[in-house]
Amino acid sequence: EPLDANLKLLYKNIAANGWQEQIEIFPLALSNRTGLLELFGGHTGASLIEGWAGTPEHHRRLVPLSTLDTVLGDRFRTSRCCILVDIEGAEYAMLQGASRFLAQSPKPLWIIEIQGADHQPASIGFNPHFLETFQLFWNNGYDCWTVQPMPRLVTQGEIESIWATRQNTLPVHNFLFVESNVAPPHI
């Protein structure tokens, strides 16, 4: 989360490990558009979703916003890469701003935390983009696996059933998306 306290800790960690010359930092939120948007909450639980995890209404600030396609452009177009996404409920909007990156070849490996009902604001209840988030990957030639000691394939039928019943039967909230018909790496 692009918050001063988080960035100070990140900078300190980078310096302590001697990585100052090997890293780029973009202190902004990723979404489906550019501009400014309110970020609610603090520390590692801040979210673009108002009321996420019970965040008080007054705990907010403006942050810069961009898309993954804008930030990365074509820089990794022919490279294998891994993208870790833990953005507290804003996954679908971020993926909408990553259409070129989702479609590229070789396909990036994605590790994403996706919640169903957990941490959702009371006014929302269940992630309104739960099914659409998985569908974006399937539509772009990915398979989904659970992130756990013995990963298992997550099927479209299972996600559709969870969406229809609003009962999450998955043992995890973290998922690995890899190119279709490619075995997942050991996690």
Side-chain angles (χ1 to χ4, degrees), residues 65-85:
L65 190 67
S66 192
T67 70
L68 189 67
D69 284 344
T70 299
V71 171
L72 297 181
D74 289 330
R75 293 175 56 199
F76 299 100
R77 189 163 190 63
T78 59
S79 302
R80 292 295 264 169
C81 59
C82 176
I83 301 170
L84 175 63
V85 179

Side-chain angles (χ1 to χ4, degrees), residues 131-142:
L131 177 60
E132 293 168 304
T133 302
F134 287 89
Q135 284 177 329
L136 270 176
F137 282 103
W138 290 321
N139 292 344
N140 281 282
Y142 285 87

Side-chain angles (χ1 to χ4, degrees), residues 49-115:
I49 309 297
E50 186 172 6
W52 182 262
T55 300
E57 194 175 302
H58 67 277
H59 200 174
R60 60 178 73 197
R61 76 205 43 77
L62 285 174
V63 296
L65 190 67
S66 192
T67 70
L68 189 67
D69 284 344
T70 299
V71 171
L72 297 181
D74 289 330
R75 293 175 56 199
F76 299 100
R77 189 163 190 63
T78 59
S79 302
R80 292 295 264 169
C81 59
C82 176
I83 301 170
L84 175 63
V85 179
D86 184 356
I87 55 176
E88 311 306 328
E91 303 81 21
Y92 182 67
M94 183 278 301
L95 290 168
Q96 287 179 307
S99 59
R100 282 195 336 248
F101 217 70
L102 280 165
Q104 80 179 31
S105 182
K107 294 205 170 298
L109 179 111
W110 299 74
I111 301 171
I112 302 184
E113 179 184 53
I114 304 170
Q115 300 286 347

Side-chain angles (χ1 to χ4, degrees), residues 108-114 133-134 137-138 141-156 158-159 170-187:
L109 179 111
W110 299 74
I111 301 171
I112 302 184
E113 179 184 53
I114 304 170
T133 302
F134 287 89
F137 282 103
W138 290 321
Y142 285 87
D143 285 335
C144 176
W145 296 82
T146 58
V147 174
Q148 60 188 111
M150 295 295 293
R152 73 168 176 83
L153 186 66
V154 177
T155 67
Q156 190 165 350
E158 182 175 17
I159 296 300
L170 294 163
V172 299
H173 300 290
N174 292 302
F175 302 94
L176 175 67
F177 294 90
V178 298
E179 189 169 353
S180 291
N181 301 314
V182 173
H186 189 280
I187 302 170

Side-chain angles (χ1 to χ4, degrees), residues 33-61:
R33 62 183 177 83
T34 59
L36 291 174
L37 195 64
E38 285 189 318
L39 182 70
F40 303 93
H43 306 291
T44 61
S47 176
L48 297 174
I49 309 297
E50 186 172 6
W52 182 262
T55 300
E57 194 175 302
H58 67 277
H59 200 174
R60 60 178 73 197
R61 76 205 43 77

